[in-house]
Structure formats: structure tokens, C-alpha cells
Amino acid sequence: MPDASAVRLPRARTWLAAGCAALIGATLAVALVSHPLASAQSSNTGQLAASLTPAAPNSPATARGLPDFTDLVDQVGPAVVNIRTTEKARPPSGQGAETDEDMQEFFRRFFGMPAPRQAPRRNAPAQPQEEQIQRGVGSGFIVSSDGYVLTNAHVVDGADEVTVRLTDRREFKARIIGADKRTDVAVVKIDATGLPAVRLGDVAQLKVGEWVIAIGSPFDLDNSVTAGIVSAKARDTGDLVPFIQTDVAINPGNSGGPLINMRGEVVGINSQIYSRSGGYMGISFAIPIDEAQRVADQLRSNGRVIRGRIGVQIGEVTKDVADSLGLPKPAGALVRGVESGGPAEKAGVEAGDIITGFDGRPIDKWNELPRVVGSTKPGSSSSLQVWRRGATKDLRITVAELEVESTNKSEPAAAPRPAPSAIATAVGLTVADLTDTQKSELKIKGGVRVEAADGLAARAGLRPGDVILSVANTDITSAKQLESVLAKQAKDKPISVLFRRGEWAQYAVIRPRS
């Protein structure tokens, strides 16, 4: 098996192919001349010969082949740059002295004598010196002739020095204008003018199956070009960005380079790959250029990205939950928790609500909500549509600002253990009423605590410690009421259960026995 290096094809194969072609051509010519009907069918022979003539280079037959990317590369290539980053490395202070003391102790213990002192190395520095070590290589592209460059945040993250190299081999020290880890977009600036710049495309016009190319520095190979097609749009990978998925070959060093359509417009920033081995496996992801441009504009204006927030913990709305709640389709974002004192709580949002719209925009997938809210200016008054107890409710909410790198690492509080006044139900639930003190601690008005879950309840995912808030769109206030509500439900229909586990609320669906 050949290795990853380039393999040159044997010349003998080329000669053999050419010889075979010549021999076939000569045999065919002899056959045509010696055929008894050749003279009588000269016109047919002429037609046959014409059909065997290779098509002209500019004929429609060749135009229907694979696309030619040469013009795109000539057009966009000069605006693609190589980005190198370095960081300062300093040996740990006092490392030599500690090593010497350890050696002295070793000799004293095992040889009963002091270790011989080593003479200092000739020309050795008296103090540990900082040195620049290469940290990584990436790609980027020039978006304005005065030297603004877009790349990935992870390319320049932690760098003490950034060097941008152009295709004409000129190098510039760059300064980082800003970087946003949430979207993996960064802007760097070099001091130069009259630079070639890319044209930005319209992602909304990008179609699945469309040809695209990538230019970058995979493995530090400057201006390497790869091609493929758009595999999917708005691909969710758990990040804040709806990625463009392609089968364009992307490898280490391509990060931050442009994804280009057939009109020579940049439609994305190559950012990630899907891989089980660490190398390219046919699936790569690019940040849509419209998302990247919005982030870049804020980085250039403010040095950071300002995003909105409403203070909810959300989750997916499954088909089972949608069916049990009467939703026409599994869409929206399930509110699992509401931040105390946050915008959502002030607006009247409750745990268990399904947010189906924000500012007139429908929320089809739950992960669309953070993107829509994040792009809303803090302080704005926005409309919020929620699905609650089988009906749509309209609310007004004032969007707050998302703190930079805000994280809430507090562990959910353990649910209190109520007095054991349990009651068994037909679905396998054993529950107990909550005291007023427990309700106050949990900041809820009603509910019952699950003491045991068996059978259908266990299959639905309920477990001891959960607090049931509503069943079949009916608020639960006591164990006795829960039994009454369950008794009224049809035996062959699924039952929705809104419950709280720790700080977060979620739905379970109790299905009848099949």
C-alpha cells in the first residue's frame, strides 16, 4: 500500500495505453478500407469517421463535464491568507536549583557524600529567557482592502503573536481586534492598504447539492484548493451556529479559511470536521458568512459581541410530548426551568410552557430560540408565544444582556423528603403531598412528590424524588386530586406528566399497556 506521500505513476502504463490506442486506430482504418462495401458506402464511412473524431475543447460535450474552478481560484485565492500564531514559553522559575537540591539529597542518602557540582554551561544565560514557540497554523481571508481579516477564534486563541502571510509571500504582524468563542469567529487586523478582498455571498441563496470550494493551508500547505458540494444547511451540532455541512476536504490548517460558491463569493468560514480518527472523513462544517459577519461587525465596533437573554432553561419537544399536549406538531422549545428574577419569570413564563414564537418568528426547533434571542438587542420589548394547557398564550418580555462567559455551575437542589402520606395509583405511582414549607422552598404553588415509580410510570422515566406539577394539562395540588385526574383519563390514551427534577422541569408520557 502506498503511504500518504505523492505516488508517481509508471511511464510504462502511459506508453502502453498510447500504443493500444494507435493499434486500434490502425486496425479500424484498415478494416474500413478493405471492406467490400467501402466504396459504395463512402458517405457512411465519412459519417463514422466524423463520429470517431474527438470533440473540440469548447464543444457542448465537454461543457457538460465537471466544473472548472480555475477562474474562482484566480479570483479569490489572493485574498486568502496563512495565519501563524506563537506564544511565549518560560522555563519554570528556580527549576535548576530544585533539580540540584534533589541530586544532592540522592547522593547523601545512597552514597553518604555530596554530589559533584556541575560546572555551568558555556554561554548559558544567567536567567531563564522567554522564547517564542510556534503554537499553530490556520487560515483566514481578507474582507477589506485596509487589512481586516476573518478567521476562527480557536486559531488565535491564546496567541501572544499572530503573523499573517499573503500569497505574494509578504508577512505582517497582526493584532487581534476581537474573538467570539461562542461562534468561533475572530477578526484580526494587519497594517496594509490596497489589499485584495473577497466578496461575501448570500447564504439564503445557497442550495444543497451546489458546488463549493475551500482554500486554505491544510498541514501548512499554502493556498491549497479542495472542492465538493453542500451536503446540508442549518446543521445543528449543539453550538450556537447553524452550520453549513459539506463534503469538501478540510484538514488541520484549513480552519478559518473561506468556503466559496461558484460565483466566487464567500458563503462560510471552514471551522470543524466530523471525525473518529482526527482526520477528514467526508463531513466538514462551515460557519454561515451572514452569522460570521454579524459577529465580526460587533467585534470591530465593540471588541466583543453583545447578546440578549431571557433567563430560561430549555429542551426539545418530542413527538410524544407534542401529541400528549395537543400540539399540532413537535415544535418549539420546552421550558424546563425559569431563572428566579429573570426576564422570563417577570413576563409570566412558567416551567412546562412550550415557547412556539418569539417576536413574530416561529420557533420550529428548540435550539433556534437561543439564536433568535441572542441576536435581539438587550432592552428590547419582544413578544413571546407559549403553549400552555392546550392553548396559545401571548406574553411581553424585556430582553436582558447575556453576560460574557456566563455560566451557572450550581448543582440542582435536592428535592425535599415529605411526610410519608403516600397513595398508590393504577399507573405505578406512589406519591405524597408537599408541605407549605416545601412548596415555598421549591417556589411552586402545588405538586406532589414521587415516593416510588413502578410499571408504566417507571417506563415513562419517572423516579423517586420527582415532583409532579401537572397531569393531562391539569395542575396537581394534592395526591388525592392526582388520583382523581388519573381516574378520568382514557385507558387507551397516553397521559402527559409535567414534573420537576431538581431545578428543572420536563415532560414524561405515560403510555397505556400495549
Side-chain angles (χ1 to χ4, degrees), residues 29-163:
V30 171
L32 289 172
V33 172
S34 60
H35 196 282
L37 297 179
S39 58
Q41 298 181 352
S42 58
S43 60
N44 292 339
T45 302
Q47 294 174 0
L48 177 61
S51 68
L52 295 173
T53 302
N58 295 325
S59 68
T62 58
R64 289 194 296 268
L66 293 175
D68 185 354
F69 302 110
T70 55
D71 289 340
L72 299 182
V73 176
D74 291 341
Q75 178 184 348
V76 184
V80 181
V81 301
N82 175 282
I83 297 179
R84 296 172 182 272
T85 59
T86 57
E87 62 183 356
K88 295 177 181 178
R90 178 188 288 273
S93 177
Q95 180 178 357
E98 293 175 3
T99 303
D100 184 65
E101 290 178 3
D102 292 341
M103 185 62 67
Q104 289 291 338
E105 179 66 19
F106 175 79
F107 269 81
R108 278 194 298 268
R109 288 194 177 194
F110 293 97
F111 295 98
M113 59 180 290
R117 293 287 180 181
Q118 294 183 352
R121 293 177 298 172
R122 181 176 297 179
N123 299 327
Q127 297 293 334
Q129 299 292 319
E130 289 183 349
E131 61 174 334
Q132 295 278 32
I133 59 173
Q134 183 170 321
R135 184 179 177 277
V137 177
S139 306
F141 52 96
I142 303 169
V143 292
S144 64
S145 60
D146 57 348
Y148 282 95
V149 176
L150 278 185
T151 185
N152 283 146
H154 76 261
V155 170
V156 298
D157 183 35
D160 292 307
E161 189 174 278
V162 178
T163 302

